Amino acid sequence: MYILDRYIIKELAGPFVFGLAAFTCILAGSTVLFYYIGEAVKYGIPILTILQVIIYKLPGVIAYAFPMSTLLAAILAFSRLSADLEIMALRAAGIGFNRLIIPVILLGVLISGVSLWFNESVVPRSAESAQNIMRSFKDDFKPKIKQNVNFTEYDPKTKDPVRTINVAAVEDDMLKNVTVAEFENGKLARIIRAKSGKWNNTGQWIFYDGIMHYFPTENKKRVTIIEFKKEFVDIKINPTDLTKRKKYLEEMTILDLKERIDFKTRTGDDPTEDKVYFHLRLSVPFACLIFSILGATVGLRPHRSSSAIGLGISLVVIIIYYILLSVSMGMGLAHAIPPSLAAWLPNIVIGSAAFYLLRRIA
């Protein structure tokens, strides 16, 4: 049986590599190539530099080509086995389709894992490098000194304000003229003013040369004033993050997305878009497994000996998948459905069809 597994995996490997190259070229040509050639003409970017940018953008394209290539490989491999009557011979030998699908599932799991690693390790770094090159020509870097940084931190449960913060200027890692107003149960409890401050990596702010005003809730007429040279305050928001260039979603890892979701939740911003893309980072790699099963069941339908027909079926299924993905993402961003469902709905639909065909064939 191990010989059979190796044989089926070998049949899958060739079409998978072909599909990965073909779909990468198709996607790159239709999305990346023309856009960045236009940017090169617009901003006068040298041809070698724009070629470097295109190369940096290719991993993002390859990430979306993984599921497509898995589907094509399964369709072509099982179409060939079925057309040459090898499936019939295996069934005559007592080997059922449930046994034949095992190496396909194992390969689908492996490709899903590789796709997830690729999305986390390669795509964000290459996308960030491409953006940095483009921004250097667009002269769009933000200054190192940020003026008047203001934000409010909210309680995630009650949505009441916890504190409001104003920083007159942020220069490198130093904060200038900081004012913090803290609330308890929606009422002002403390005001901190400091000439300077900074953030340490333990989750605290350090204030220097300042003064505190306490407003006890039990005695509204009493105010306690404390002057200090150095004071530690537990504030989990890193103020220097506000001065950094905002990353595009393709430049962020799952951990980065989670941190930004937490930050937006605390500061009262809507994190729906980030939540959708957070789940999308998991659902798209998992689609490789679903497409491997679907491709094997479609490939066994009578007729499919032509590679062109297999490629055509793959394109139809992929178009349906990405139409479903676009619709579900739109519904998720519009708050019509939860972000997790928006990312996973196409997998649920395509997966249901795959398991239905699998049961009929088995």
Side-chain angles (χ1 to χ4, degrees):
M1 300 306 291
Y2 293 111
I3 296 175
L4 176 63
D5 293 336
R6 289 199 303 269
Y7 181 67
I8 293 177
I9 291 174
K10 182 180 178 181
E11 289 292 319
L12 293 167
F16 175 78
V17 174
F18 164 75
L20 195 62
F23 287 122
T24 298
C25 292
I26 293 171
L27 292 176
S30 59
T31 58
V32 175
L33 187 61
F34 289 109
Y35 173 78
Y36 282 103
I37 288 177
E39 293 291 284
V41 174
K42 182 178 180 181
Y43 294 102
I45 303 175
I47 185 64
L48 292 179
T49 302
I50 206 64
L51 286 176
Q52 183 181 5
V53 172
I54 292 173
I55 292 172
Y56 279 137
K57 297 294 292 185
L58 282 181
V61 176
I62 294 173
Y64 282 95
F66 273 116
M68 305 178 186
S69 307
T70 306
L71 175 65
L72 179 64
I75 290 177
L76 293 184
F78 276 81
S79 295
R80 211 279 302 166
L81 293 173
S82 180
D84 291 348
L85 304 181
E86 294 185 33
I87 298 294
M88 183 179 296
L90 291 170
R91 285 184 170 179
I95 301 173
F97 181 72
N98 286 338
R99 177 62 186 82
L100 295 176
I101 202 70
I102 290 177
V104 180
I105 293 175
L106 292 177
L107 188 63
V109 171
L110 176 63
I111 296 174
S112 294
V114 171
S115 178
L116 181 61
W117 169 84
F118 193 80
N119 269 312
E120 284 296 287
S121 300
V122 180
V123 174
R125 295 178 182 177
S126 62
E128 184 175 5
S129 298
Q131 289 296 336
N132 288 337
I133 293 175
M134 293 302 298
R135 289 171 70 89
S136 66
F137 281 92
K138 294 180 180 180
D139 195 23
D140 195 27
F141 283 108
K142 293 185 177 180
K144 294 183 179 180
I145 300 176
K146 177 80 174 182
Q147 303 289 338
N148 292 323
V149 177
N150 298 279
F151 58 92
T152 302
E153 183 180 0
Y154 294 86
D155 188 314
K157 295 181 180 179
T158 64
K159 304 302 181 182
D160 292 331
V162 176
R163 61 176 58 90
T164 61
I165 302 172
N166 173 265
V167 182
V170 180
E171 185 175 354
D172 294 328
D173 294 331
M174 292 302 298
L175 315 174
K176 307 293 184 181
N177 296 324
V178 185
T179 302
V180 179
E182 297 187 329
F183 299 86
E184 292 181 2
N185 300 321
K187 297 180 180 180
L188 183 63
R190 180 171 65 164
I191 294 178
I192 304 172
R193 294 186 179 92
K195 291 183 178 179
S196 62
K198 67 178 181 180
W199 160 269
N200 65 16
N201 293 326
T202 62
Q204 292 179 318
W205 288 26
I206 306 174
F207 295 134
Y208 302 98
D209 300 321
I211 187 170
M212 294 186 189
H213 293 76
Y214 285 93
F215 305 94
T217 56
E218 65 277 3
N219 189 348
K220 297 181 180 180
K221 296 182 178 180
R222 182 180 177 184
V223 179
T224 303
I225 301 174
I226 301 175
E227 294 185 4
F228 61 85
K229 289 293 183 181
K230 183 178 182 180
E231 182 70 21
F232 292 86
V233 180
D234 290 328
I235 301 177
K236 301 303 181 183
I237 298 173
N238 186 347
T240 58
D241 288 342
L242 300 174
T243 64
K244 295 178 181 177
R245 176 178 70 85
K246 184 180 179 181
K247 287 186 176 182
Y248 293 96
L249 290 168
E250 63 179 355
E251 300 176 66
M252 305 180 72
T253 64
I254 290 178
L255 182 60
D256 294 332
L257 284 168
K258 186 177 184 304
E259 290 178 351
R260 193 156 89 173
I261 290 170
D262 294 339
F263 178 82
K264 285 187 174 182
T265 302
R266 291 198 303 270
T267 55
D269 289 338
D270 185 7
T272 301
E273 182 181 10
D274 299 292
K275 287 183 178 180
V276 170
Y277 279 92
F278 174 84
H279 291 284
L280 197 65
R281 286 296 181 88
L282 299 173
S283 66
V284 171
F286 187 78
C288 297
L289 174 59
I290 295 174
F291 279 166
S292 66
I293 299 173
L294 179 65
T297 57
V298 171
L300 282 180
R301 312 297 291 178
H303 58 49
R304 327 277 188 218
S305 59
S306 170
S307 298
I309 294 177
L311 181 61
I313 295 173
S314 301
L315 291 174
V316 171
V317 174
I318 289 163
I319 290 172
I320 293 173
Y321 176 82
Y322 282 107
I323 289 175
L324 287 173
L325 188 61
S326 299
V327 172
S328 64
M329 286 181 62
M331 295 174 65
L333 294 175
H335 303 277
I337 58 176
S340 57
L341 181 60
W344 287 93
L345 184 59
N347 285 6
I348 295 173
V349 174
I350 299 296
S352 299
F355 282 104
Y356 171 75
L357 293 174
L358 180 62
R359 286 188 60 185
R360 289 197 60 182
I361 293 176

